[in-house]
Amino acid sequence: MSNIESVLHENRKFPPSTAFTAAARVKPADFAALNAEAARDSVAFWGRLAREELRWHRPFSQILDASRAPNYRWFTDGVLNASFNCLDVHLAAHGGAREAKPAIIFEGEAGDARTLTYGQLTAEVCQLANALKAQGIQPGDRVVIYLPMVPEAVIAMQACARIGATHSVVFGGFSANSLRDRIEDAGTRMVITADGGWRAGKALELKQAVDEALATGCKTVEKVIVLKRTGGAVPMQSGRDLWWSDAVRGQATECEPTWVNAEHPLYLLYTSGSTGKPKGVQHSTAGYLLNAKLTSQWIFDFREDDVFWCTADVGWVTGHTYVCYGPLAAGATIVMYEGAPVYPDAGRFWSICARLGVTIFYTAPTAIRALMKLGDEFPNKYDLSKLRLLGTVGEPINPEAWIWYHTVIGKTRCPIVDTWWQTETGAAMLSPLPGVTSTKPGSCTTPIPGIDMAIVDEDGDTVTNPNQGGWLVVRKPWPSMLRTIWGDNDRYLSTYWGKFDNRYYVAGDTAHRDADGYFWVLGRADDVLKVSGHRLGTAEVESAFVAHPRVAEAAVVSRHHEIKGESIFAYVVLKGQRPEGQDAEKFAAELREFVGKELGAIAKPDDIRFADNLPKTRSGKIMRRLLRAIARGEPITQDISTLENPAIVEQLRGAG
């Protein structure tokens, strides 16, 4: 690790304009003061911000409890409610002045539209919260949300938070099997879903997937609430299933928040690991909400008249933090869009920005690269003059795409905030502040105030030489950090803290810092795949392959993909004879569809290569580094003398 050197030397700098800095929420002097305060006493720093930014039912007296480190706890004796902090604080009854302000502007793929003010959103959240209580949901119960990207997804999340239930959102692109695994691991009592959702002109059968999942397990599920979205005919199981409209009918539009401890689990979100089953990342209420709100304000520079569009689905952490919680806590107006970014054509994103007056746009490099490839003519058709700030999230952005985003979309006037963070961190950790930081294409620049990040070598010593690579770590606890892995604290400790004896949180990424102190994320040190910004564990994908009755063994690696960032390359060993020619192509296509059904379309491999066996050492360990080199067309530099069958290399290359 310590001998990794950066091969990218990007020195172009883009400082914020004088006009942007003058109007920014955080100015250079503010930034310096925040960093100085955090450096003096990071615990007191977070304590001050928690008192100022969150509305407490009972204030806390202890800021950080490190007695069970690295199971850190924040604001432990404080009591509050996340939904109250996102909604009620903006209403006149609680001293707010945003009751009539749009909270959500929604557009469906077919053109249907809906706007909810903060007052209307609060009423609908309260109605559903009362409905959940009427169905027996209590504080601490887990509720799985499996919905399309419609306002009801946010309403469901906020309703759970309002009554102290812990929600676990599952991305609608995941299959019935993946949904089942998550329902079972969480011990879920209720599922909230829809008859379907729309994407690229086609209906996604969400209720069908729920039925399949529940038919094969999930014995803890007692109720299923179903939103009518597509109008498709779906079976409803008597005594278990009920329509959303029936559930909320007659329910009051007011619901007293359930006041919970600061450490109460707000949500579980499952993310893939390099080995084993998906991890249920557990986030607290207060610490998570604090960083969600602060980073929304600092990074996106919210002003009262901004229209903010984060394109992420709420099934991913970006949708949690920068759709459901952070912007609403900050009193912003958000845009939600259900559908594909290129439907009916590649101008859909830009059309929405123009028509809805989007001022801040936050999306993934995958989307940027895909839209860039389709040409400038589509964005050039639309008036994007209201855009004032752009953002990117999910993976490192290559400089070429950054420059296109800056010039074609931002017309060179919009700063770009390139953010690095994880499901586990809860909120952005590395990012420019748009009124402060001079940006470099491809760099997520520096930590936000209060976040202490470093790059260390294999011994845990800080790497000080510019452009020298190492492990990306966080040296001090922060409020929105994950608290544990649901039901498996040992896994939490070993995965995130074990490598350096609990001294640092280990992100699992490698990075380097340049001579200016800017961070450049290089990639992951584990075997987690990142396809279109989505984390997929190799073990999960390999297990899906092996579930096919003809497959004996599989190994998956990543290779560069122009659009998706990474794609999945699979090596497969069959039971019986290895197919060749058209037979191989035909069966590869079958396997592709099989894996997609098992895990969801995002897990479909782009490349499948059949082999008689996998390259293993004589101790039985798969040589993944060798497989990656072959997939990427790189020279093989490692010692292959320990291979069980050295002749397999040519076959894996496709030459044998």
Side-chain angles (χ1 to χ4, degrees):
M1 180 71 70
S2 61
N3 63 354
I4 296 175
E5 297 286 339
S6 171
V7 296
L8 173 66
H9 298 284
E10 174 62 66
N11 294 311
R12 288 173 291 183
K13 274 191 176 182
F14 295 82
S17 70
T18 303
F20 195 104
T21 296
R25 178 185 286 267
V26 179
K27 298 177 174 62
D30 305 321
F31 183 66
L34 288 167
N35 282 321
E37 181 188 359
R40 285 193 301 272
D41 189 336
S42 63
V43 174
F45 171 79
W46 292 120
R48 176 184 70 79
L49 290 169
R51 292 186 182 97
E52 293 177 1
E53 296 291 341
L54 300 181
R55 193 80 66 87
W56 295 88
H57 184 67
R58 187 177 74 215
F60 57 91
S61 60
Q62 182 179 21
I63 302 171
L64 174 65
D65 178 359
S67 61
R68 291 183 286 176
N71 287 117
Y72 295 98
R73 299 184 298 168
W74 289 86
F75 323 120
T76 50
D77 56 344
V79 173
L80 76 172
N81 180 276
S83 175
F84 184 90
N85 273 273
C86 290
L87 302 174
D88 303 61
V89 295
H90 305 302
L91 307 185
H94 300 284
R98 297 189 176 104
E99 196 159 335
K101 178 180 178 176
I104 299 175
I105 304 173
F106 168 74
E107 180 168 301
E109 192 175 71
D112 52 313
R114 183 184 179 197
T115 296
L116 289 168
T117 65
Y118 272 94
Q120 293 166 333
L121 178 59
T122 305
E124 292 208 23
V125 167
C126 287
Q127 275 196 309
L128 183 61
N130 287 323
L132 297 183
K133 291 198 291 186
Q135 296 302 320
I137 299 300
Q138 300 177 11
D141 286 345
R142 277 77 63 201
V143 176
V144 160
I145 299 169
Y146 187 63
L147 285 168
M149 196 58 180
V150 294
E152 285 80 3
V154 169
I155 291 167
M157 295 165 76
Q158 290 282 347
C160 288
R162 196 164 194 88
I163 65 171
T166 299
H167 63 70
S168 183
V169 184
V170 178
F171 173 55
F174 276 125
S175 69
N177 289 348
S178 296
L179 175 63
R180 177 200 63 214
D181 292 345
R182 287 154 173 80
I183 290 172
E184 289 188 335
D185 189 78
T188 302
R189 286 194 65 196
M190 175 184 281
V191 177
I192 302 175
T193 189
D195 52 3
W198 294 108
R199 188 161 181 93
K202 298 178 180 178
L204 304 175
E205 304 293 342
L206 299 179
K207 176 58 164 57
Q208 180 180 316
V210 171
D211 289 340
E212 288 180 22
L214 301 191
T216 56
C218 311
K219 302 304 182 187
T220 58
V221 174
E222 300 168 7
K223 295 289 182 179
V224 178
I225 291 178
V226 186
L227 175 73
K228 286 184 180 178
R229 174 62 184 152
T230 63
V234 295
M236 298 288 283
Q237 183 174 306
S238 179
R240 187 195 72 182
D241 303 348
L242 69 161
W243 292 107
W244 179 301
S245 55
D246 293 337
V248 301
R249 186 174 293 117
Q251 296 292 345
T253 56
E254 295 181 354
C255 177
E256 179 69 14
T258 298
W259 304 106
V260 300
N261 181 269
E263 282 295 303
H264 182 80
L266 177 62
Y267 69 87
L268 308 177
L269 188 57
Y270 284 83
T271 183
S272 296
S274 59
T275 58
K277 65 182 183 180
K279 307 186 293 284
V281 171
Q282 178 182 318
H283 277 290
S284 72
T285 298
Y288 169 78
L289 191 63
L290 175 64
N291 281 129
K293 182 181 180 183
L294 284 172
T295 55
S296 292
Q297 294 174 154
W298 290 348
I299 296 171
F300 299 111
D301 189 49
F302 284 156
R303 304 172 190 174
E304 195 60 35
D305 59 349
D306 273 323
V307 177
F308 175 63
W309 185 16
C310 168
T311 67
D313 191 284
V314 292
W316 307 103
V317 74
T318 302
H320 280 58
T321 304
Y322 300 115
V323 176
C324 181
Y325 287 110
L328 296 181
T333 297
I334 65 169
V335 169
M336 293 182 70
Y337 169 63
E338 178 204 21
V342 293
Y343 188 87
D345 60 40
R348 187 60 182 268
F349 270 12
W350 318 126
S351 169
I352 292 172
C353 286
R355 284 184 289 101
L356 303 186
V358 173
T359 58
I360 306 168
F361 182 71
Y362 188 41
T363 196
T366 299
I368 296 166
R369 287 191 293 266
L371 294 167
M372 177 178 71
K373 193 172 181 179
L374 294 170
D376 300 357
E377 62 176 293
F378 288 101
N380 288 340
K381 288 180 181 178
Y382 300 98
D383 180 4
L384 302 179
S385 60
K386 288 192 175 180
L387 286 174
R388 67 177 192 88
L389 181 62
L390 302 174
T392 178
V393 60
E395 60 196 318
I397 185 170
N398 54 297
E400 182 186 7
W402 194 102
I403 292 294
W404 182 85
Y405 198 31
H406 179 64
T407 55
V408 177
I409 307 304
K411 310 299 183 186
T412 72
R413 72 176 183 279
C414 300
I416 295 176
V417 286
D418 179 357
T419 60
W420 177 92
W421 57 297
Q422 301 173 307
T423 303
E424 294 88 344
T425 69
M429 305 285 277
L430 293 165
S431 176
L433 297 196
V436 175
T437 316
S438 294
T439 54
K440 292 183 183 182
S443 171
C444 43
T445 67
T446 58
I448 67 162
I451 302 299
D452 184 0
M453 299 193 70
I455 296 163
V456 301
D457 62 20
E458 287 289 345
D459 297 319
D461 298 324
T462 302
V463 174
T464 56
N465 293 337
N467 303 316
Q468 182 105 16
W471 293 87
L472 186 63
V473 300
V474 189
R475 295 186 291 198
K476 293 180 182 177
W478 69 102
S480 66
M481 63 193 299
L482 81 164
R483 295 309 194 255
T484 188
I485 299 299
W486 179 257
D488 196 348
N489 194 60
D490 288 344
R491 191 178 182 190
Y492 162 75
L493 296 173
S494 63
T495 301
Y496 302 107
W497 298 91
K499 183 170 179 63
F500 298 112
D501 300 321
N502 296 346
R503 285 188 290 164
Y504 312 126
Y505 168 87
V506 181
D509 283 341
T510 58
H512 77 273
R513 296 179 79 176
D514 64 20
D516 294 325
Y518 283 27
F519 284 75
W520 298 77
V521 177
L522 302 173
R524 287 162 314 287
D526 59 16
D527 288 319
V528 175
L529 310 164
K530 200 160 194 178
V531 181
S532 298
H534 305 321
R535 287 167 54 96
L536 300 170
T538 56
E540 216 177 359
V541 180
E542 289 163 3
S543 296
F545 270 103
V546 177
H548 192 285
R550 286 185 61 188
V551 175
E553 197 173 18
V556 300
V557 297
S558 66
R559 70 184 296 180
H560 176 73
H561 190 283
E562 185 180 356
I563 303 299
K564 294 186 284 189
E566 291 182 357
S567 65
I568 297 173
F569 193 111
Y571 299 90
V572 178
V573 179
L574 300 181
K575 300 170 183 175
Q577 192 172 352
R578 175 170 59 93
E580 297 178 357
Q582 289 187 346
D583 289 341
E585 292 177 10
K586 184 179 178 181
F587 189 58
E590 179 184 328
L591 273 182
R592 212 170 274 117
E593 294 304 312
F594 180 84
V595 172
K597 181 168 176 54
E598 285 286 302
L599 295 177
I602 58 171
K604 284 185 180 180
D606 281 44
D607 300 274
I608 296 176
R609 190 164 291 172
F610 298 104
D612 291 329
N613 51 62
L614 296 176
K616 298 176 181 177
T617 64
R618 292 184 178 91
S619 64
K621 186 178 180 181
I622 296 174
M623 299 179 73
R624 294 184 180 274
R625 188 152 59 95
L626 172 64
L627 292 177
R628 282 193 289 268
I630 293 172
R632 298 168 186 179
E634 299 169 350
I636 297 171
T637 57
Q638 71 187 101
D639 181 12
I640 58 173
S641 62
T642 59
L643 271 178
E644 196 176 48
N645 175 17
I648 196 65
V649 172
E650 290 307 304
Q651 193 180 98
L652 294 165
R653 282 174 162 160

